Amino acid sequence: MSIENTALKIVGVVVAWNRPQLLQETLDGLTSQTRPLDAVVVIDNASTDHSPEVARNHPVTTEVLIMPRNLGGAGGFAAGIARAVATHDADFVWIMDDDTVPTATALEALLAAREAYPGQPAVLASKAVWTDGREHPMNRPRKRPMLAKEIAQAAEEIGCIPIRTASFVSILLDARAILEEGLPEAAYFLWNDDFEYTSRLLRNRIGLYVPASIVEHKTKKFGDSSADPGPRFFNETRNKVWMYLRSNGLNPAEKLLYGGKTLLRWAQTVRNSSDPTALLNHAKDGIKAGLQTVPTTVELLADTPVAADVNALLAPANLFEVGEENTEFSVLMSVYHGDHPAHFKRALESISKEQTRRPNQIVLVQDGPVNEALQAVIDAATEITAQEVTHVTLEENRGLAQALDQGLSYCDYELVARADSDDVSLPHRFETQIPLMKDLDILGSAIAEFEEDETQWGMIRVLPLTQAEINEVARFRDPFNHPTVVFRKSAVVISGGYEECERLEDYWLFARMLQLGVRCANLAEPLVAYRVGSGAYNRRGGLELFKAEIELQKRFYDYGFTTKKQFARNLLIRAGYRLIPAELRKNLYRNIAGKHWFNAKTAVND
């Protein structure tokens, strides 16, 4: 197992109710893990037997939290996940029921898949088998349909399958996704709570089914949800109505697809029931209840021992580290084989010894192998900057999103300034920006474009200055000049970090941060000289960027960041812009963007 995986803090969460013998087996299974857990939280749903004593007396248990009443699986897991992240500061949360017995290598296999996959999965699901070794149909994850070939292939190469949803029977959750999406809906009580929650986590993220991670799910019977549910059919129908009408976990096409399958499954369940009339009555009541408002998780867990944890997670802005004392900062930069050695050296000088306020740390991510000349500059980075440089090496080129996300984890300070490997930060950049971060989560500035001579500026790109203007403009174009931003590390992490989105990863990150409600601003003064070069307008177009633009706009719409009208407008204008000839693109950029978009006084109105 890698050093990275052993350094992660992983907290197990078990939800228990009146099954002391099975709970004992579950906790024994957690004890046997080849990769030990850092903490185990047991949520006891007001058991009426000695289940709490079993949990308290087990050596693997860190704490037992007894709920004032049975909250069901939905409320129990919401409580446990909140506790694991808010109190125990988990990097990952491993959740399971008290009838789930993990094999000794279950967790190790999940972490091995996470490490081997080239991206960063938000959910990793174990293979659940019944007591006779057959795969349990109740817990088989839904495969992700219509997935890009390269993503599916990357999963297959490590023996995994990309998934759209999973059950709560042994899944490993990335805390960054939890912080962004919140908690399971406690109101669901039982049934479909896992479907709804994992669909939210995985709407714009990767999930993997890991067959090498095996757990035994000791249900009384072998079967799926089409078995006769009795009165629980009320929960099935109510929660599905809630999900299809009120959850944003599925996009419209998925709601049609899964909704059709749900109707077929309901029909099969009623047909196979020994009392179909009773089931139809439960369904009628469930559908009626599903048309009512969903009580919030904050309300339902307000009188429980985890109320403060729940409030912290569902009000994530409160987690941002603020305060006048936070003036130390890191600079985050990535370099790859396409960078020019002289330009890179100039960028290093500008962020370090030329600054009137020098950074406390420079994190340099080397994104894969580079040529000899560029490697010589990288090796001399400490000498060039006249300070120690944290050098992070990726064995192969993974792209800017993954490089920056890796680098962010090495940043020691809450404040992080971004810098590109071919731009020049002006000497007073950090002295200007850092003091203003006291009341902000992200701050950008204007940039001054240049081609060869950094003192001969061309267009000055001034973006919207205020939070209201930034939020308005962001629905059509990137509201920040990425190489100029200083942000709070916690705000980026809570937003999910840098995610893959070909050459548009910064815009995708900023959109998620804005949707979260971060405090933001831009400065009208240019603090970075931005190198455009002769190929700049070619790089702003082409078929690959056209495809990336379409993918980004789909994400915006699915995420609720843009309306249907804005989505259509952006496809027509932004995606179309990527396909026109480079010379025409250059003229449009200079004559339209230059005169209207990059002017602080007209940025919003045009």
Side-chain angles (χ1 to χ4, degrees):
M1 186 175 297
S2 72
I3 295 176
E4 179 189 1
N5 279 339
T6 55
L8 294 171
K9 186 170 186 181
I10 302 178
V11 178
V13 170
V14 179
V15 175
W17 184 68
N18 284 351
R19 290 187 289 204
Q21 181 57 46
L22 287 173
L23 175 60
Q24 178 74 39
E25 293 183 48
T26 297
L27 297 177
D28 289 345
L30 295 180
T31 304
S32 72
Q33 292 304 299
T34 53
R35 196 291 191 186
L37 287 154
D38 297 285
V40 173
V41 175
V42 177
I43 300 295
D44 184 86
N45 261 331
S47 294
T48 57
D49 57 17
H50 63 289
S51 292
E53 286 71 31
V54 169
R56 287 195 190 98
N57 294 332
H58 202 286
V60 80
T61 304
T62 304
E63 65 173 337
V64 180
L65 298 174
I66 299 178
M67 299 297 106
R69 61 193 169 281
N70 187 356
L71 302 172
F77 282 116
I81 292 169
R83 189 66 161 198
V85 175
T87 293
H88 293 281
D89 197 26
D91 296 308
F92 283 83
V93 184
W94 191 23
I95 67 174
M96 64 192 67
D97 276 319
D98 59 352
D99 60 352
T100 303
V101 182
T103 59
T105 59
L107 178 56
E108 182 178 352
L110 293 175
L111 291 173
R114 173 187 174 272
E115 183 177 16
Y117 187 73
Q120 297 202 11
V123 177
L124 297 108
S126 300
K127 178 180 180 180
V129 300
W130 199 46
T131 54
D132 61 1
R134 287 181 291 170
E135 184 173 9
H136 210 309
M138 182 182 295
N139 309 118
R140 190 177 296 126
R142 293 173 175 85
K143 291 180 64 175
R144 191 168 202 114
M146 299 177 290
L147 194 64
K149 182 179 179 181
E150 58 272 16
I151 296 178
Q153 185 176 347
E156 291 169 5
E157 287 175 354
I158 61 171
C160 297
I161 299 172
I163 57 174
R164 184 63 182 88
T165 64
S167 81
F168 282 165
V169 175
S170 183
I171 56 175
L172 186 66
L173 307 175
D174 191 323
R176 293 176 299 179
I178 294 168
L179 287 166
E180 184 173 355
E181 299 295 341
L183 299 169
E185 293 287 355
Y188 279 49
F189 191 76
L190 57 82
W191 283 33
N192 299 308
D193 49 327
D194 46 9
F195 180 33
E196 191 279 332
Y197 187 53
T198 57
S199 74
R200 268 192 283 139
L201 294 175
L202 297 179
R203 179 159 180 170
N204 297 302
R205 301 179 185 85
I206 291 295
L208 295 179
Y209 173 47
V210 187
S213 173
I214 299 175
V215 300
E216 186 177 0
H217 191 196
K218 292 191 168 185
T219 57
K220 292 180 180 179
K221 296 180 180 179
F222 179 83
D224 58 20
S225 59
S226 63
D228 195 339
R232 292 186 175 189
F233 202 47
F234 168 85
N235 299 83
E236 157 69 13
T237 52
R238 180 197 63 183
N239 295 351
K240 281 282 174 56
V241 172
W242 271 345
M243 177 164 184
Y244 294 140
L245 292 183
R246 303 184 186 279
S247 172
N248 66 354
L250 302 175
N251 64 41
E254 289 174 324
K255 287 182 179 181
L256 286 175
L257 173 64
Y258 290 126
K261 289 183 176 180
T262 294
L263 292 175
L264 291 175
R265 191 178 300 112
W266 285 356
Q268 180 183 354
T269 301
V270 172
R271 185 170 59 250
N272 295 338
S273 173
S274 59
D275 191 352
T277 301
L279 275 193
L280 287 173
N281 286 331
H282 294 315
K284 179 181 176 182
D285 293 341
I287 292 171
K288 182 178 179 181
L291 297 175
Q292 307 301 314
T293 302
V294 186
T296 69
T297 298
V298 170
E299 293 169 344
L300 293 174
L301 301 186
D303 62 343
T304 70
V306 299
D309 302 296
V310 171
N311 282 325
L313 262 67
L314 296 183
N318 294 333
L319 297 180
F320 299 167
E321 296 181 24
V322 295
E324 195 168 357
E325 72 280 2
N326 290 324
T327 56
E328 296 179 315
F329 68 102
S330 304
V331 175
L332 175 59
M333 178 185 285
S334 174
V335 61
Y336 83 119
H337 62 83
D339 285 319
H340 190 288
H343 298 167
F344 172 51
K345 181 181 179 183
R346 183 71 193 95
L348 284 176
E349 292 170 340
S350 75
I351 62 169
S352 55
K353 57 188 179 184
E354 293 183 0
Q355 288 293 316
T356 55
R357 181 171 192 159
R358 298 189 60 168
N360 301 90
Q361 179 193 30
I362 296 174
V363 176
L364 176 62
V365 183
Q366 180 177 337
D367 189 11
V370 299
N371 60 54
E372 187 175 334
L374 188 56
Q375 187 65 57
V377 180
I378 294 172
D379 294 341
T382 294
E383 180 182 348
I384 292 168
T385 59
Q387 67 180 88
E388 192 68 31
V389 173
T390 304
H391 183 193
V392 181
T393 303
L394 305 182
E395 293 184 2
E396 58 185 25
N397 179 258
R398 295 188 178 184
L400 185 61
Q402 288 194 44
L404 293 180
D405 212 49
Q406 287 283 324
L408 189 63
S409 66
Y410 285 86
C411 291
D412 294 334
Y413 300 100
E414 168 67 358
L415 298 184
V416 178
R418 270 285 291 121
D420 277 352
S421 54
D422 58 353
D423 297 330
V424 179
S425 291
L426 301 190
H428 61 293
R429 177 190 168 188
F430 301 144
E431 185 177 34
T432 301
Q433 288 182 294
I434 296 302
L436 298 176
M437 290 299 295
K438 179 177 179 291
D439 299 310
L440 294 170
D441 302 306
I442 180 169
L443 173 65
S445 79
I447 58 176
E449 294 185 354
F450 75 97
E451 293 190 7
E452 296 299 331
D453 185 347
E454 66 186 68
T455 65
Q456 299 299 309
W457 292 355
M459 183 186 299
I460 295 180
R461 288 163 48 178
V462 181
L463 295 178
L465 305 182
T466 68
Q467 179 151 346
E469 292 171 339
I470 288 169
N471 273 293
E472 182 178 347
V473 166
R475 270 62 187 179
F476 180 60
R477 56 190 172 89
D478 196 335
F480 297 101
N481 292 313
H482 190 205
T484 74
V485 298
V486 177
F487 52 65
R488 292 187 179 279
K489 179 179 177 179
S490 58
V492 172
V493 170
I494 285 172
S495 301
Y498 283 95
E499 295 180 355
E500 289 287 351
C501 192
E502 183 68 24
R503 284 189 279 177
L504 297 168
E505 57 280 315
D506 58 324
Y507 193 2
W508 175 226
L509 170 62
F510 298 150
R512 287 178 284 125
M513 293 179 74
L514 293 174
Q515 195 80 335
L516 192 62
V518 297
R519 302 161 300 169
C520 58
N522 277 313
L523 299 175
E525 178 186 5
L527 296 176
V528 172
Y530 181 77
R531 191 184 303 273
V532 290
S534 58
Y537 297 102
N538 288 323
R539 292 192 298 270
R540 288 173 180 156
L543 183 59
E544 291 304 312
L545 197 52
F546 171 75
K547 293 178 180 177
E549 185 68 59
I550 291 177
E551 171 62 22
L552 178 69
Q553 296 306 326
K554 286 181 179 177
R555 291 189 191 184
F556 282 172
Y557 179 67
D558 290 343
Y559 197 64
F561 188 67
T562 56
T563 64
K564 189 177 296 185
K565 182 179 178 181
Q566 290 168 336
F567 172 67
R569 175 201 63 188
N570 293 354
L571 284 183
L572 178 65
I573 299 176
R574 286 185 58 89
Y577 174 78
R578 307 298 183 185
L579 292 180
I580 61 178
E583 192 60 32
L584 178 57
R585 190 180 303 119
K586 179 178 180 179
N587 290 331
L588 287 173
Y589 179 81
R590 288 185 170 180
N591 292 313
I592 296 179
K595 292 180 180 179
H596 300 282
W597 292 356
F598 303 141
N599 182 307
K601 295 181 180 179
T602 61
V604 176
N605 298 324
D606 289 89

